[in-house]
């Protein structure tokens, strides 16, 4: 005679926040003590911080120089181009939100909210004129518009193309067309602030990734010339300072070029950052490549796939998934390293900060405010990158498959 | 079509010819003048003690290992340093590994459809249709959209067999396919292999599963110390082994 035992039910997890607090923060006397000490510490810290930010700090240098921080010395009359680009970007974010959802939505909303809040900033109209505020307010509207229009997009590839084209548009708009009276040239030496930081960082990041992958593959290749060249390049670039490479591209490169060929200063800095980052990227990717078990390659080859297909379809997808945290760390470091561009005469965000401090006698002592502001700006964007990378890892199933 | 029973007369056409094959790993002489012929539709089981070189032998057939002396001719194509020969041979020879070696970032269906899609340039719909049929053939159509990490060992190995079959190979090589599986799963994989053998596939199977050898093999090859010691039909092999070495091996392996 067989009897089936009734299924044993799992005891219910402790419900409610009170039980959670009891279990995690106050489980024993020393835990409770630590909790209280930490809470007191955090309370005083936050109170002091908020008090300083809201009441004691003199935000004058920041409030008065918003335009400088944003775009450097870009001529006031041509700021509409930046305005247009922001609108295009907001629209694209709206489209991307509709097409891809998830993380894109978070970013779209963050950008819309950020620009919207900026428009409503409680500072004088002289520092942030009404027209500028209206331009800024139009952005959340365009994000919403993009979201609605996104319904009709059938292939995500078009949105990617849109992003690519928007970058081209950015360069064309920013630099202007020589000879056109409606879009006069704006010298790149006038580009500055957050605009320049973004430009250098985005180009550096986007360009160094494929180059890094190619270098890593080249270093592992069986062709001796390619292998040696890649290894030499990587070791050479990794062994010198970014400052040195910036100098090399800014000062030494023009000496080797013929008289007529003049490469723009900003482009030279972009080249330097790309070259620098590619070498580090290559080693990160190589680490991932080495971690792929040999059996994967053997199985792929046994199926009759060519070496190129094995690398593209089997090895790289697995290797790149593995090194996402490292690569994103690299990107974040590159974003911070754009501050070194001042050495070659470019006025990126940090340089503007220092210039603002020195522009008026009474602001010289307000460095705390300016640097906290710049630090907060950097933090916002690097956290955004971190967040995006975590979501990407989740979407790709890293660590689960 | 490989999935209909064999109704054509047996042709003694040599699919794989190994002549005096030698291989060294550094100084270690692992294959010592192996000569073996496998005909179309034959199922050859290679057995022998560990380290005898049997896995190395089948790995040289699809150039996962390189032989230093001797000739290997697969379906009329000689295996040389020419990469075109090698790739042509690899398209006709499927391999199933002890460790499965499925691609973890792709679903079962994608694993199977990958090679025909890229190596034979089939359209996606056709590749996926064939992949679905193969999954049915190995008995796990419902696992199509699962990742290898979500499958049991037996299911993974069956997906691996389906993946190798997707390229419609003329020859299938099995390198100890059930050695990493527990007893319950061994049966499901051996069933698939038996069906494959019955359908007329040319197979070389390196295995310790003597039950499978007895039932499905046309010939058993006993391998030891880098060369073939004895080969015979299963009946003769188990009943009347000739060499001392064979008798020793059989006495150890048949004790279980």
């Amino acid at each position: 005679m067989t009897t089936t035992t009734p299924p044993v039910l799992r005891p219910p997890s402790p419900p409610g926040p009170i039980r959670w607090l009891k279990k995690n923060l106050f489980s024993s006397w020393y835990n409770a003590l630590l909790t209280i000490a930490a809470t007191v510490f955090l309370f005083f810290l936050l109170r002091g911080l908020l008090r300083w930010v809201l009441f004691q700090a003199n935000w004058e240098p920041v409030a008065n120089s918003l335009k400088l921080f944003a775009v450097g010395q870009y001529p006031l009359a041509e700021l509409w181009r930046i305005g247009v680009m922001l609108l295009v970007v907001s629209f694209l974010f709206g489209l991307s939100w509709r097409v891809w959802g998830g993380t894109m939505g978070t970013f779209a909303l963050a950008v819309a909210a950020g620009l919207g809040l900026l428009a409503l900033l409680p500072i004088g109209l002289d520092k942030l004129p009404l027209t500028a505020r209206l331009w800024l307010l139009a952005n959340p509207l365009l994000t919403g518009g993009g979201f609605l229009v996104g319904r009709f997009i059938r292939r995500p590839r078009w949105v990617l193309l849109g992003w690519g084209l928007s970058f081209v548009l950015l360069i064309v708009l920013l630099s202007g067309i020589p000879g056109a009276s409606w879009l006069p040239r704006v010298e790149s030496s006038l580009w500055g602030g957050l605009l320049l930081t973004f430009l250098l960082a985005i180009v550096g990041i986007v360009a160094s990734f494929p180059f890094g992958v190619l270098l890593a593959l080249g270093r592992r290749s069986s062709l001796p010339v390619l292998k040696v060249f890649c290894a030499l390049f990587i070791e050479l670039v990794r062994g010198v300072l970014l400052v040195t490479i910036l100098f090399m591209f800014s000062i030494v490169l023009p000496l080797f070029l013929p008289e007529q060929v003049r490469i723009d200063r900003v482009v030279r800095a972009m080249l330097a950052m790309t070259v620098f980052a590619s070498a580090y990227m290559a080693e990160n990717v190589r680490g991932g490549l080495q971690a792929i078990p040999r059996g994967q390659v053997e199985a792929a080859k046994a199926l009759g796939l060519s070496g190129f297909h094995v690398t593209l379809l089997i090895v790289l997808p697995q290797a790149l998934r593995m090194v996402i945290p490292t690569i994103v760390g690299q990107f974040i470091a590159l974003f911070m390293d754009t501050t070194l561009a001042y050495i070659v005469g470019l006025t990126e965000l940090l340089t503007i900060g220092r210039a603002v401090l020195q522009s008026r006698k009474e602001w010289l002592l307000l460095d705390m405010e300016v640097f906290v502001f710049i630090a907060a700006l950097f933090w916002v964007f690097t956290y955004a990158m971190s967040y995006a990378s975590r979501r990407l890892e989740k979407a790709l199933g890293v660590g689960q498959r | 079509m490989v999935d209909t029973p064999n109704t054509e007369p047996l042709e003694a056409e040599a699919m794989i010819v190994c002549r005096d094959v030698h291989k060294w790993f550094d100084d270690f002489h692992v294959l010592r003048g192996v000569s073996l012929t496998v005909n179309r539709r034959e199922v050859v089981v290679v057995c022998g003690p560990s380290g005898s070189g049997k896995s190395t032998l089948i790995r040289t057939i699809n150039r996962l290992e390189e032989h230093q002396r001797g000739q290997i001719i697969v379906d009329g194509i000689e295996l040389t340093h020419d990469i075109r020969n090698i790739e042509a041979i690899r398209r006709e020879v499927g391999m199933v590994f002890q460790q499965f070696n499925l691609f973890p970032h792709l679903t079962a269906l994608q694993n199977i459809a990958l090679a025909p899609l890229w190596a034979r340039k089939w359209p996606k719909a056709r590749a996926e249709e064939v992949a679905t049929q193969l999954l049915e053939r190995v008995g796990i159509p419902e696992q199509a959209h699962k990742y290898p990490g979500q499958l049991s060992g037996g299911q993974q190995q069956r997906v691996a067999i389906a993946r190798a079959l997707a390229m419609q190979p003329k020859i299938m090589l099995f390198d100890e396919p059930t050695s990493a599986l527990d007893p319950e799963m061994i049966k499901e994989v051996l069933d698939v292999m038996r069906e494959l053998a019955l359908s007329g596939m040319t197979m070389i199977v390196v295995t310790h599963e003597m039950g499978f050898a007895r039932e499905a093999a046309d010939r058993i090859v006993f391998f030891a110390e880098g060369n073939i010691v004895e080969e015979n039909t299963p009946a003769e092999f188990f009943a009347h082994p000739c060499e001392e070495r064979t008798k020793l091996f059989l006495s150890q392996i048949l004790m279980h």
Side-chain angles (χ1 to χ4, degrees):
Chain A
M1 183 179 91
T2 49
T3 47
T4 50
T5 48
V8 180
L9 292 171
R10 179 182 174 163
S13 327
I18 312 281
R19 298 285 287 273
W20 184 90
L21 278 175
K22 257 186 87 176
K23 181 172 158 219
N24 290 298
L25 295 179
F26 295 99
S27 48
S28 59
W29 66 268
Y30 48 86
N31 270 349
L33 212 60
L34 275 173
T35 305
I36 295 173
T39 317
V40 166
F41 174 73
L42 278 174
F43 170 71
F44 280 112
L45 184 73
L46 280 173
R47 192 180 75 159
L49 192 67
L50 276 171
R51 218 187 251 172
W52 180 81
V53 165
L54 292 173
F55 303 118
Q56 289 169 349
N58 182 356
W59 293 106
E60 229 190 290
V62 173
N64 274 5
S65 328
L66 279 179
K67 179 246 176 199
L68 278 176
F69 279 121
V71 291
Q73 290 167 304
Y74 209 83
L76 270 169
E78 309 296 334
L79 277 185
W80 62 269
R81 309 186 200 187
I82 317 274
V84 166
M85 272 322 296
L86 274 179
L87 292 174
V88 168
V89 165
S90 294
F91 184 71
L92 278 172
F93 262 121
L95 282 179
S96 307
W97 179 10
R98 192 54 180 270
V99 169
W100 285 306
T103 322
M104 269 301 173
T106 321
F107 279 120
L109 285 171
V111 167
L115 291 172
L117 283 173
L118 194 61
L120 302 169
L121 215 54
I123 56 177
L125 275 175
D126 55 323
K127 301 182 190 131
L128 191 62
L130 194 60
T131 47
R133 290 176 195 258
L134 287 173
W135 271 98
L136 285 170
L137 273 175
N139 283 290
L141 293 173
L142 267 163
T143 308
F147 185 73
L148 295 170
V149 170
R151 211 169 72 82
F152 305 107
I153 306 282
R154 262 169 288 130
R155 270 184 235 170
R157 228 166 267 199
W158 295 349
V159 184
L160 273 176
L161 190 67
W163 279 107
L165 285 175
S166 74
F167 186 75
V168 176
L169 181 68
L170 174 71
I171 300 298
V172 168
L173 273 182
L174 279 181
S175 43
I177 304 171
S181 58
W182 54 280
L183 203 70
R185 257 192 80 76
V186 176
E187 285 299 322
S188 63
S189 49
L190 294 175
W191 303 1
L194 197 58
L195 172 70
L196 187 61
T197 302
F198 269 152
L199 259 182
L200 290 174
I202 290 176
V203 170
I205 288 171
V206 169
S208 69
F209 183 66
F211 277 123
V213 170
L214 287 173
L215 276 172
L217 291 172
R219 189 166 187 176
R220 275 166 53 98
S221 147
S222 45
L223 304 168
V225 173
L226 184 63
K227 185 180 191 150
V228 165
F229 171 75
C230 289
L232 269 177
F233 180 90
I234 293 172
E235 295 309 332
L236 210 66
V237 172
R238 282 206 310 172
V240 299
L241 301 165
L242 174 56
V243 188
T244 315
I245 300 186
L246 276 167
F247 264 139
M248 290 284 294
F249 273 90
S250 279
I251 295 165
V252 177
L253 186 68
L255 295 176
F256 284 104
L257 293 174
E259 275 296 310
Q260 300 87 341
V261 179
R262 284 178 61 247
I263 305 184
D264 192 271
R265 199 191 304 191
V266 173
V267 174
R268 276 181 262 152
M270 286 177 183
L271 281 172
M273 308 221 71
T274 306
V275 161
F276 179 75
S278 306
Y280 287 85
M281 191 70 57
E283 286 300 279
N284 290 335
V285 171
R286 192 168 73 92
L289 292 173
Q290 280 176 179
I292 305 294
R294 232 170 51 133
Q296 291 287 301
V297 176
E298 285 184 355
K301 284 202 180 142
L303 284 170
L305 289 168
S306 70
F308 173 71
H309 282 140
V310 172
T311 309
L312 188 70
L313 302 168
I314 310 298
V315 175
L316 273 183
Q318 292 184 57
L320 290 175
R321 270 176 175 80
M322 256 194 277
V323 296
I324 289 178
T326 325
I327 295 184
V328 173
Q330 189 69 44
F331 290 162
I332 291 176
L334 193 68
F335 184 66
M336 310 274 201
D337 282 342
T338 56
T339 51
L340 287 171
Y342 86 91
I343 284 185
V344 291
L346 292 173
T347 50
E348 48 67 53
L349 190 58
L350 195 59
T351 317
I352 301 264
R354 280 189 283 230
V356 159
L357 278 174
Q358 287 163 355
S359 62
R360 276 198 223 172
K361 241 187 4 201
E362 60 265 24
W363 285 354
L364 262 176
L365 294 170
L366 294 175
D367 45 356
M368 187 76 158
E369 284 83 345
V370 171
F371 288 130
V372 164
F373 171 70
I374 293 178
L377 269 183
F378 270 110
W379 184 86
V380 165
F381 295 115
T382 53
Y383 184 77
M385 281 195 261
S386 272
Y387 177 77
S389 101
R390 278 200 306 275
R391 296 295 305 233
L392 183 66
E393 283 187 59
K394 192 134 183 265
L396 294 175
V398 174
Q400 280 155 4
R401 297 185 206 157
Chain B
M1 288 273 295
V2 284
D3 50 19
T4 53
N6 168 27
T7 50
E8 292 161 26
L10 267 169
E11 309 150 8
E13 185 190 316
M15 290 298 285
I16 301 176
V17 178
C18 297
R19 274 192 213 119
D20 193 37
V21 173
H22 289 262
K23 178 171 175 60
W24 285 264
F25 277 129
D26 291 334
D27 281 334
F28 176 56
H29 198 177
V30 59
L31 293 177
R32 304 175 188 213
V34 179
S35 292
L36 177 70
T37 306
V38 179
N39 294 316
R40 189 189 284 272
R41 291 194 224 284
E42 251 198 302
V43 176
V44 173
V45 166
V46 180
C47 63
S50 304
S52 54
K54 42 192 206 302
S55 287
T56 312
L57 177 66
I58 65 168
R59 284 161 64 89
T60 53
I61 293 174
N62 68 353
R63 202 62 163 196
L64 288 180
E65 304 287 352
E66 208 177 294
H67 63 283
Q68 277 94 24
R69 196 148 66 139
Q71 266 188 322
I72 300 181
I73 302 171
V74 177
D75 196 22
I77 309 169
E78 182 167 354
L79 196 54
T80 57
H81 289 293
D82 190 347
I83 189 76
R84 279 166 304 174
N85 280 10
I86 297 174
E87 284 186 0
I89 288 175
R90 283 180 179 160
R91 281 194 285 271
E92 302 308 322
V93 174
M95 185 152 184
V96 178
F97 299 84
Q98 183 177 349
Q99 301 298 336
F100 327 138
N101 287 337
L102 289 178
F103 307 131
H105 61 297
L106 301 173
T107 61
L109 193 77
Q110 289 166 336
N111 258 278
I112 301 171
L114 183 81
L117 195 63
W118 292 93
R120 292 212 197 271
K121 314 237 190 291
W122 286 0
K124 191 167 175 212
R126 183 176 171 208
E128 291 196 344
E129 198 196 310
V130 168
T132 316
Q133 286 171 1
L134 283 167
L135 273 172
E136 277 176 34
R137 183 175 174 186
V138 299
I140 38 172
E142 72 283 357
Q143 309 291 349
H145 300 290
K146 295 247 180 91
Y147 288 93
Q150 298 167 305
L151 301 174
S152 73
Q155 290 169 334
Q156 286 187 51
Q157 193 63 298
R158 286 190 277 168
V159 172
I161 295 176
R163 180 178 66 173
L165 289 174
M167 288 293 279
Q168 297 177 332
K170 298 196 180 118
I171 303 163
M172 284 284 279
L173 303 173
F174 291 83
D175 186 0
E176 302 205 34
T178 55
S179 295
L181 299 172
D182 65 46
E184 286 153 357
M185 296 185 198
I186 290 178
K187 179 183 183 303
E188 55 191 53
V189 173
L190 288 180
D191 285 341
V192 172
M193 289 165 66
R194 261 185 278 263
E195 185 260 320
L196 201 55
L198 279 172
S199 71
M201 175 68 81
T202 312
M203 292 163 61
I204 305 183
V205 184
V206 173
T207 186
H208 299 296
E209 294 291 323
M210 292 299 133
F212 172 79
R214 235 191 270 263
E215 289 175 30
D218 293 313
R219 216 190 334 156
I220 299 187
V221 169
F222 177 62
F223 215 84
E225 273 135 38
N227 213 335
I228 298 175
V229 173
E230 193 174 329
E231 53 183 300
N232 222 329
T233 61
E236 279 301 306
F237 183 82
F238 289 110
H240 307 120
C242 300
E243 304 289 328
E244 279 307 308
R245 190 75 185 79
T246 321
K247 291 179 190 167
L248 180 64
F249 177 74
L250 282 174
S251 68
Q252 287 164 339
I253 204 164
L254 291 175
M255 276 219 289
H256 304 281

